[in-house]
Amino acid sequence: MKIDIIFEEFLNKVKEQDIVLNYVQVRQHGDIILDWGRMAQKTRLNTWSVSKSFISVAVGIAIDEGIISLDEKICDSFPEYLPDKPSDNLLGITVRHMLTMTTGFDYPMFFGDDPDRYITEDWIQYFFNHDFTHKPGERFLYCNFNTYMLACLIERKSGREIMDYLKEKLFTPLDILSPDWTRCPKGHIHAANGLYLTIDEFGNFGQMILDGGVYKGKRIVSKEYLDMATKKQVPEDWETNYGFQFWINPDRKTARADGKYGQYIIMLPEQDMVVAVQSLSDGEVFRNVWYGFIEKICQEEETDRKYI
């Protein structure tokens, strides 16, 4: 069974479930071997939380350059925002905690469509006024503010507007030109969501991750950082499988960038493959993509290897 047959069966399955796929692209050995779109024109769409993985790579670049470190305290860089009596929990939050979503929040504050977002002007102040009820590192709670604050930290420590920084260090080297990213009322990028990309730009990013931080012969970010980012970084006995703003796949070996409504960039090193998906659905998109498409591709690859 070849990939086009596997994909056709997968496509029929998701249609039966009323799952809306916009684009699917598969690359293997650096070549595009499947490029499907519901719409003829490839257009930039909201990546939702796939944006978080781009900020993770931005953190890796800043670490490589010595601008920030994994274990530095976020409060040290924003002293003017601290409450009069900051808690020990707040003072203990590091870059590592923010990357792993273990900052100690008791609830996730607002997400992209939360009404609080529409009435809050200073998001940095909103973050520091929050109650950090748990010790950092003791509890996983997925929260957009971790990613937002990481972007603000890079901005502050680099002394540059982050889109200028990322255009030079990440986007232009990946052939992502004039990228679109929504902003907060104070002009900082949303970071956790709101980055608009095409399926080709998804694929470029995934190819760079798959190739250990190199794209078209140019080093973007260190392999050492990506090896950490795409491995489980929360305690092994926790059910959550999370790295540094990347999710760990059901095989517990590979990783993905993952966004709301079915946005995925999935890296499969053993197959030397990147699977990129853009959807618009509340259905079980990932379950279908993983078990109805990727697992079957991997099984086919394994069968082919046995007969070589």
Side-chain angles (χ1 to χ4, degrees):
M1 185 183 292
K2 300 302 180 184
I3 189 168
D4 54 343
I5 300 174
I6 295 172
F7 180 71
E8 192 65 32
E9 291 180 352
F10 160 73
L11 205 58
N12 290 333
K13 284 280 189 182
V14 298
K15 284 180 179 177
E16 289 173 6
Q17 299 172 52
D18 293 323
I19 289 173
V20 179
L21 293 176
N22 289 323
Y23 303 99
V24 178
Q25 186 177 98
V26 180
R27 301 184 185 201
Q28 189 171 38
H29 312 313
D31 297 322
I32 296 173
I33 61 170
L34 187 150
D35 202 11
W36 178 90
R38 181 172 63 87
M39 300 164 283
Q41 178 69 36
K42 290 180 179 177
T43 187
R44 279 182 172 166
L45 301 173
N46 193 345
T47 68
W48 295 93
S49 287
V50 164
S51 304
K52 292 179 172 70
S53 297
F54 278 78
I55 293 299
S56 176
V57 171
V59 169
I61 293 168
I63 289 172
D64 292 342
E65 295 185 334
I67 294 171
I68 62 175
S69 67
L70 281 175
D71 296 314
E72 71 175 79
K73 307 290 178 57
I74 187 71
C75 289
D76 292 345
S77 294
F78 296 91
E80 73 274 27
Y81 285 97
L82 296 182
D84 291 337
K85 294 182 179 179
S87 68
D88 288 341
N89 288 345
L90 171 57
L91 293 173
I93 295 171
T94 66
V95 167
R96 189 186 301 271
H97 294 133
M98 304 189 90
L99 285 168
T100 56
M101 301 285 184
T102 58
T103 40
F105 296 124
D106 55 354
Y107 66 94
M109 297 196 277
F110 59 80
F111 278 74
D113 53 0
D114 192 301
D116 271 4
R117 175 189 151 194
Y118 308 134
I119 60 174
T120 302
E121 290 193 2
D122 192 332
W123 292 11
I124 298 177
Q125 192 67 69
Y126 187 89
F127 171 84
F128 282 105
N129 286 344
H130 189 71
D131 291 329
F132 296 87
T133 54
H134 303 274
K135 186 177 178 181
E138 287 189 346
R139 180 175 185 251
F140 177 90
L141 185 67
Y142 191 77
C143 178
N144 285 349
F145 260 88
N146 291 314
T147 317
Y148 173 78
M149 288 302 302
L150 286 169
C152 292
L153 176 66
I154 293 171
E155 223 169 33
R156 181 159 286 210
K157 295 295 286 288
S158 69
R160 299 177 63 183
E161 203 280 328
I162 194 163
M163 285 301 283
D164 289 339
Y165 181 81
L166 291 182
K167 283 177 186 177
E168 177 191 342
K169 307 290 184 179
L170 179 61
F171 289 124
T172 299
L174 288 180
D175 297 325
I176 300 173
L177 307 179
S178 300
D180 308 307
W181 209 324
T182 55
R183 294 176 181 268
C184 76
K186 294 292 186 181
H188 308 291
I189 59 170
H190 283 187
N193 50 55
L195 174 63
Y196 284 71
L197 297 176
T198 67
I199 194 70
D200 290 334
E201 292 165 340
F202 261 39
N204 293 353
F205 181 77
Q207 191 67 52
M208 181 271 292
I209 302 295
L210 185 71
D211 292 341
V214 173
Y215 184 75
K216 291 186 176 179
K218 178 179 174 61
R219 169 67 60 188
I220 308 295
V221 63
S222 66
K223 184 178 184 299
E224 291 76 14
Y225 176 81
L226 288 182
D227 285 346
M228 290 189 290
T230 56
K231 298 291 189 300
K232 182 168 179 170
Q233 291 294 333
V234 296
E236 206 45 54
D237 59 341
W238 291 10
E239 290 185 6
T240 303
N241 292 312
Y242 202 69
F244 290 164
Q245 311 272 299
F246 284 88
W247 288 94
I248 310 306
N249 290 321
D251 62 4
R252 303 293 297 274
K253 299 186 296 183
T254 61
R256 71 185 183 276
D258 187 314
K260 191 174 182 179
Y261 303 125
Q263 326 308 320
Y264 308 111
I265 306 172
I266 303 166
M267 286 68 64
L268 304 168
E270 287 186 10
Q271 289 73 32
D272 194 18
M273 184 178 289
V274 177
V275 178
V277 179
Q278 290 179 309
S279 307
L280 187 60
S281 184
D282 280 325
E284 292 191 339
V285 185
F286 181 71
R287 177 170 290 277
N288 279 278
V289 169
W290 184 264
Y291 295 105
F293 185 49
I294 289 176
E295 271 202 347
K296 291 182 179 180
I297 293 173
C298 294
Q299 289 167 3
E300 185 72 15
E301 287 277 314
E302 182 63 28
T303 300
D304 288 347
R305 280 197 292 269
K306 286 180 180 178
Y307 288 97
I308 291 176

